[in-house]
Amino acid sequence: MLHPRELRERTRYYSQYRDIRRMGQIVFDNHYARLPERFYSPQDPVPVREPGSIRLNLPLAEDLGIDTQWLASEAGTAMLAGNYLPEGAEPIATAYAGHQFGGFNPQLGDGRAVLLGEIRARNGRRFDLQLKGSGPTPYSRGGDGRSPLGPVLREYILCEAMHRLDVPTTRALAAVTSGERVMRESVLPGAVLARVASSHIRIGTFQYFAARKDTEALHLLTDHVIARHYPELEDSENRIAALLGAVVARQAQLIAKWQMLGFIHGVMNTDNVLISGETIDYGPCAFMDEFNPEQVYSSIDHGGRYAYRNQPGIAHWNLSCLANSLIPILHNDQEQAIALAQSALDSFPDLFLEANSLGAARKLGLQAIEAGDVPLVDDLWRLMAEQRLDFTLTFRRLADLADETNRTGTVAELFEFPDALQPWLDRWRERAAREPTSAVDRQSAMYAANPVFIPRNHLVEAAIAAATDNNDFAIFHQLADLLENPTSYAPELRHFASPPRPEEIVQQTFCGT
C-alpha cells in the first residue's frame, strides 16, 4: 500500500499533464490485463524526479500510430518516464518463473518493469509497451526497481541494431533520464527505457503456472498466445502440440541468426526466452570481435554455460522446459503427451541446422550449402578460430572479394586475410564460380548478408562512459545513427568498423540489475 505522501506525489505528477493529454493519445487495446489477476499484479510506474528525453525512436512511434509531436512533448516525456499514465493504459507487472543458469526459481516476475498496455499498430499487429526501470513491483525481491543510465543506453543501441540486422527482437521506443541517482557498485545516473515487444510472454510464464499445477491457467495462457502470435494454429488437431512445434521452429531460426552474426546473448535463462521468438534482455550480451567458439562475456556466466558454441544446445534445453510445462495439457494420456513433446523437441536440431546452413550460404555468397560444401564451411570456422580473425570483418572482406573489380567501399584497409587462409580462399573462389549468379549480384547479396558495422563492445562502452561520466550523449547518438544502416561502408567511418585496440578490448559485460 502506498504511503499517503507518496500517493499525493503520484497524483501531483499525473494530474499536471491532464489538460494537455488530449494532444496525442496512444490507442490501447489491452488483452493480457483481461486474464485473471494471478497472471500479474496491477502496478503503476513510480514517478521519477525530473524526466528528460535522451532519444526517441520516431519511425517506430509512427509505425505504432503514436503522434510523434506529442511523444516529443513534455507530456510524452513524462509518459515515457512513468510520470504520466495515458488514457487507456492498464499498468501491470507480469508474473513468471524461470531457470537461471540451470537452477529453477518458481517466482521471478517483472521486478523493475511495468507493462503500460498493448498497442494496435498501423499494420494491425499488437505490441506491448513496457517501461523498464520504472520502480519497484511486488516481484522486486528487495530491489529498487530502477535502472542505471548505462544499461538503458546499451539496450537501446543493441536492440535497434539487431532490428536493422534482421534479427527478431524487442525494440526501443525511447530512452529518458530520471533526474535521480541509482546505487549499484557506485552512485550512477538513472534512466528509463520504453520497450516495445510483440509480447513479454516467456517460457518462464508457462513454467510459473506449471510449477503451481494450475492447468486452467496453462490453458488460458495457451489460448492467449495462439490468438496473439500463432493464429494459423487455431484449427489444428492438437493446438497445444502445434504451438510447441511452432515455438521450437522460431527459436531455431532465431539462434541461427545470432550465430551468423557472432552474437552472444550471455543470459539465456528461460525467463529470457520469448514465446514470440524475439530476442530480449540485452544486459550482458555482446558481439564477438575475434572469433572464439568458447567466447563468454557475461560477468555472471562463470562456467561458460552460455558461451557462443553452447547457444544452440541451451536453446534446445530451454525448449525442453517449455515442453515439460505443457505436458499436463498436451494430451489426456501422459504417455502420449510425452511423445508429442518429444516429437516437437526432436525437430529442433534439424530446424536449426537448416537455418544455420542457409545463413552460412548467404554469408558465403552461395545459394545453398551442398553436401560437398560442408568441409569448406567447417574449415573456415576452424581457421577463423586458429588465426583469431575478426568475425565481422572476415565475412565483410569475403564480400569484397566476391567481385574484385569493384574497389568501392572495400574494408581492405581494416582487414586482410593472413597467408594461412589463401588455400581456403582459392577453394571458396572455385566454389563460388560455379554459382549461377554473376559476381556483381553475388557481391551485392553478400554485402546485404554481412554487416560492416555492429555494436562493438568498446564503442558501446565509450558511449556509456561519456554519458554517465560527462552527461555527453554525442557518441551514443552517433553510434545509434550509424547502426541504422549497418551494411553501407565509407572509409571516413572506419573508426566504427575497426576492431578494438588491445587497451580497448572489453573482457566482460554486466547485467543491468
Side-chain angles (χ1 to χ4, degrees):
M1 182 174 294
L2 291 175
H3 188 279
R5 182 176 64 184
E6 185 180 352
L7 181 59
R8 286 196 300 272
E9 282 294 295
R10 187 173 298 186
T11 301
R12 180 178 66 81
Y13 274 115
Y14 293 155
S15 63
Q16 65 180 310
Y17 302 104
R18 191 171 294 147
D19 295 336
I20 57 175
R21 67 186 180 184
R22 297 188 183 277
M23 286 175 57
Q25 281 295 288
I26 298 174
V27 179
F28 288 101
D29 184 19
N30 306 320
H31 282 207
Y32 201 81
R34 303 281 84 78
L35 293 170
E37 274 202 21
R38 62 188 186 276
F39 283 73
Y40 56 83
S41 295
Q43 176 67 54
D44 287 352
V46 179
V48 302
R49 181 175 300 145
E50 189 177 351
S53 179
I54 302 172
R55 188 177 178 95
L56 299 177
N57 191 339
L58 296 181
L60 176 57
E62 290 178 355
D63 290 344
L64 294 172
I66 300 175
D67 184 334
T68 56
Q69 185 177 359
W70 174 81
L71 193 66
S73 71
E74 184 182 3
T77 301
M79 183 275 293
L80 293 167
N83 285 28
Y84 158 56
L85 284 180
E87 200 170 304
E90 297 180 80
I92 58 175
T94 65
Y96 50 85
H99 276 89
Q100 298 185 306
F101 291 91
F104 184 63
N105 189 326
Q107 179 164 309
L108 295 169
D110 292 328
R112 57 177 182 140
V114 167
L115 175 61
L116 288 185
E118 300 163 29
I119 303 172
R120 182 76 74 171
R122 293 186 189 278
N123 63 5
R125 291 183 58 197
R126 186 186 305 277
F127 292 92
D128 284 357
L129 175 57
Q130 184 192 69
L131 301 184
K132 189 175 179 182
S134 55
T137 77
Y139 311 108
S140 295
R141 294 178 287 172
D144 60 12
R146 294 303 192 187
S147 175
L149 174 62
V152 167
L153 300 184
R154 169 180 283 274
E155 181 156 350
Y156 194 110
I157 291 170
L158 267 292
C159 72
E160 286 306 300
M162 291 285 270
H163 172 68
R164 297 292 180 177
L165 291 166
D166 195 34
V167 180
T169 180
T170 58
R171 302 285 305 279
L173 177 62
V176 297
T177 55
S178 66
E180 299 175 350
R181 312 297 284 181
V182 177
M183 176 61 75
R184 294 298 183 261
E185 290 80 7
S186 59
V187 179
L188 300 166
V192 179
L193 179 78
R195 182 163 71 187
V196 172
S198 293
S199 83
H200 286 82
I201 301 168
R202 311 148 191 267
I203 286 179
T205 313
F206 284 88
Q207 290 182 289
Y208 179 82
F209 295 110
R212 286 157 178 76
K213 303 188 187 306
D214 189 344
T215 55
E216 179 190 38
L218 286 172
H219 278 292
L220 289 171
L221 183 60
T222 300
D223 291 344
H224 178 88
V225 167
I226 290 175
R228 183 160 182 176
H229 296 301
Y230 301 92
E232 69 277 10
L233 305 181
E234 286 285 0
D235 297 327
S236 300
E237 182 177 352
N238 186 322
R239 296 163 68 252
I240 300 168
L243 172 62
L244 178 58
V247 174
V248 168
R250 285 198 188 178
Q251 285 297 316
Q253 293 165 5
L254 178 66
I255 305 305
K257 285 179 176 286
W258 290 0
Q259 299 297 93
M260 287 298 108
L261 290 169
F263 175 77
I264 303 171
H265 187 279
V267 61
M268 289 179 66
N269 299 327
T270 56
D271 55 296
N272 290 329
V273 182
L274 293 184
I275 298 299
S276 65
E278 293 176 332
T279 311
I280 190 173
D281 196 330
Y282 288 90
C285 70
F287 284 78
M288 274 194 288
D289 294 311
E290 292 180 354
F291 179 63
N292 174 11
E294 309 297 337
Q295 183 66 60
V296 173
Y297 287 103
S298 172
S299 64
I300 55 176
D301 190 1
H302 304 296
R305 177 181 173 88
Y306 300 144
Y308 173 84
R309 181 196 294 276
N310 294 339
Q311 290 185 140
I314 287 296
H316 197 188
W317 188 91
N318 286 341
L319 289 164
S320 74
C321 295
L322 174 62
N324 191 58
S325 297
L326 290 173
I327 281 175
I329 61 171
L330 261 174
H331 199 280
N332 292 332
D333 181 272
Q334 188 177 36
E335 286 190 9
Q336 291 200 47
I338 293 172
L340 288 168
Q342 192 63 57
S343 176
L345 291 173
D346 287 347
S347 69
F348 178 86
D350 286 343
L351 289 169
F352 170 76
L353 288 174
E354 180 182 357
N356 203 59
S357 176
L358 180 60
R362 288 172 176 162
K363 293 184 80 68
L364 294 175
L366 310 177
Q367 291 189 340
I369 300 297
E370 301 170 356
D373 299 329
V374 174
L376 181 74
V377 177
D378 288 347
D379 285 348
L380 176 60
W381 295 122
R382 176 181 57 79
L383 287 165
M384 286 172 63
E386 290 175 357
Q387 298 294 316
R388 303 178 66 178
L389 300 186
D390 185 88
F391 187 99
T392 302
L393 291 180
T394 293
F395 287 102
R396 185 67 181 200
R397 183 64 182 135
L398 277 179
D400 287 343
L401 298 179
D403 179 11
E404 298 187 62
T405 64
N406 179 19
R407 303 291 181 179
T408 304
T410 177
V411 296
E413 63 174 345
L414 303 179
F415 175 88
E416 194 54 270
F417 289 107
D419 291 343
L421 257 79
Q422 293 309 312
W424 184 91
L425 288 170
D426 292 340
R427 292 164 58 198
W428 170 71
R429 287 187 177 98
E430 180 184 353
R431 171 63 182 87
R434 300 201 303 269
E435 288 290 296
T437 54
S438 68
V440 172
D441 289 343
R442 187 160 58 250
Q443 183 177 68
S444 177
M446 288 182 70
Y447 277 151
N450 293 300
V452 65
F453 300 116
I454 57 168
R456 290 189 180 268
N457 303 321
H458 68 292
L459 299 176
V460 175
E461 290 302 320
I464 291 173
T468 299
D469 299 339
N470 302 314
N471 197 35
D472 179 359
F473 293 92
I475 300 175
F476 165 73
H477 289 300
Q478 193 174 18
L479 188 55
D481 288 342
L482 183 77
L483 290 168
E484 290 182 359
N485 193 1
T487 62
S488 181
Y489 179 66
E492 60 268 23
L493 300 173
R494 64 177 63 86
H495 169 69
F496 296 97
S498 300
R501 298 188 301 271
E503 70 275 12
E504 294 178 318
I505 294 174
V506 174
Q507 302 289 357
Q508 285 190 320
T509 50
F510 298 87
C511 182
T513 54

